[in-house]
Amino acid sequence: MSHRPPSPFPDRRGVLRGSLAASAALALPSAAGVAPALALTGRPRAPWGVQAGDVTTHSGLVWVRSDRPARMVVETSATESFRNARRWRGPLLGPGTDFTGTVPVRGLPSGEQIHYRVTLADPDDPRRSGEPVSGTFRTAPGKRRQGVRFLWSADIVGQGWGINPDLGGLFAYEEMRRLDPDFFLCSGDTIYADGPLSPTVTLPDGRVWRNVTTEEKSKVAETLAEFRGAFRYPLLDENVRRFNAQVPTITQWDDHEVVNNWYPGEILTDARYTEKNVDTLAARALKAFSEYVPVSTLPSTGDGGRVHRVVRHGPLLDVFVLDMRTFRDANSPGRQPDATDGILGPEQLAWLKRELARSRAVWKVIASDMPLGLVVRDGATDIEAVAQGDPGAPLGRELQIAELLRFVKHRRITGTVWLTADVHYTSAQHYDPSRAAFKDFAPFWEFVSGPLAAGGFPANALDGTFGPDRVFLKAPTRSNVSPMESPQYFGEVDIDGDSGELTVRLRATGGAVLFTKVLQPGRVGQ
């Protein structure tokens, strides 16, 4: 079914030598909590590596962070020798963006391996430039027969489980890199700003988990500097830097980029916080997110922009990235007979319906940072996601999802598949109106994966409003099971160029494929 062997190409390994050389120079603990100094000797360096994001048929977004003020310059080429390279003059990196920056590279050939390298130049003397840091990505195919294969997961450095040198760091990234996907869809909880790390944690069996620690990760993030430090933390791991240099990302956010279960207008009662206004925290978090994650709709300057977007990946695939945080109503028991804001807000819902109707891709992946039919609670009475545990007619946030599902059916929009995370286990749910209280929709699948580097949790209950049937489940039996005790989970989607079939594989670290489902193209529901 796969359109290419699931292993790295030799030339990809070769082009990453520059990136890995820069990575090796980073002393993890000392570099973690220290901002770039403004009076450094030598030449600008990029020890946090490079990454690319939101790659399409003819474009991509290249990211870097400098250790001091520098001019960012990107070169792209069809070969790792960089013969006939194109040059892209990027921004001046400074304290306003925490010395990070992105450069959009456009006019690229479709369906091709693109080699890129980033050079950082002294802004006062361009002749003083650092060693180039290299990366690579594949542009989306221009022709259907090339096929597409990508991975997805979420939940990174959560519940107190950070970079553990005894395990080789964030080891799931290396396993994903070896599968050589076209891109990685990160479904949110890219950091845990509300999850400090301790140097050691004693496990139930007496073993000791050791964390690489930094100043910013020693407390909950409140200041912009602390949010930046939380986003910087995973980049201390060699596995992450190597993965980023080889695999482009499509990234969304969820709650832990700010604080657990947050919603607009919330005032915290958590004693760990001196800043209680969640809107203030969210603004700082989004600023740091825009600086450290290459997102085409979010300027790294932090001025405006949005997380929700469509990333068009050739004739076979459109990825609809949702934002279920910024526009939601307050968490509540979820029994309202009407809900204007719901979980998407009216403007994002209208955008999603419009873009789904416009899409001509064979498959329309809806990247949802929260599941639809799993009951995710916020405390004893409130609901954090969509489903509220009442299996009857839609209420609360379910009303907005019902409206969307009805629209998909009546407009006969084919090939919709929901990919999600958040609950820290992996499962597959099939939704069918024959089992549902609300019946005006076409059947569809929802696949759950994660965590990638966080604690595992038992399965959530199902809500019968949209008729979910849990076809597969793999979850721990107790809460917050460490990555030392349980596999981490990620999913794989493989779209065959010849048949158009979409295959979903739910994977566990260690190489196991836990569940496989093949979906046929051109159907409204299946």
Side-chain angles (χ1 to χ4, degrees), residues 85-274:
R86 296 180 63 184
R87 190 170 185 270
W88 313 81
R89 188 172 187 266
L92 181 64
L93 311 182
T97 60
D98 201 30
F99 303 88
T100 68
T102 57
V103 171
V105 290
R106 301 187 176 96
L108 305 175
S110 65
E112 296 291 338
Q113 198 73 39
I114 303 299
H115 301 266
Y116 68 92
R117 61 189 180 193
V118 180
T119 302
L120 298 173
D122 188 315
D124 298 319
D125 183 2
R127 295 170 298 178
R128 292 179 55 80
S129 59
E131 288 292 324
V133 185
S134 301
T136 184
F137 59 84
R138 280 187 292 273
T139 50
K143 298 179 181 179
R144 169 173 166 163
R145 294 193 65 180
Q146 287 182 271
V148 177
R149 186 164 53 83
F150 68 94
L151 307 178
W152 93 94
S153 189
D155 315 314
I156 301 163
V157 186
Q159 289 74 48
W161 314 115
I163 300 169
N164 185 341
D166 300 334
L167 296 184
L170 304 181
F171 57 89
Y173 280 89
E174 176 61 15
E175 190 162 327
M176 293 195 303
R177 185 190 70 85
R178 290 179 181 274
L179 291 172
D180 194 39
D182 292 311
F183 65 89
F184 172 59
L185 169 62
C186 188
S187 302
D189 291 343
T190 57
I191 62 166
Y192 278 70
D194 57 339
L197 295 176
S198 301
T200 60
V201 181
T202 302
L203 305 182
D205 62 6
R207 289 182 294 172
V208 175
W209 174 284
R210 293 196 303 127
N211 283 318
V212 170
T213 58
T214 69
E215 180 181 352
E216 292 93 343
K217 285 297 293 177
S218 66
K219 66 178 290 293
V220 296
E222 299 179 82
T223 67
L224 178 57
E226 289 164 350
F227 280 108
R228 285 168 166 170
F231 278 101
R232 196 159 52 242
Y233 180 85
L235 299 177
L236 300 177
D237 185 78
E238 182 182 4
N239 300 301
V240 175
R241 299 193 303 273
R242 186 164 50 231
F243 179 84
N244 285 346
Q246 179 173 322
V247 181
T249 59
I250 298 175
T251 305
Q252 62 194 136
W253 76 343
D254 192 37
D255 57 333
H256 289 287
E257 285 83 358
V258 182
V259 63
N260 187 45
N261 297 349
W262 75 275
Y263 53 84
E266 182 182 8
I267 302 299
L268 296 177
T269 58
D270 190 330
R272 299 177 300 170
Y273 287 85
T274 55

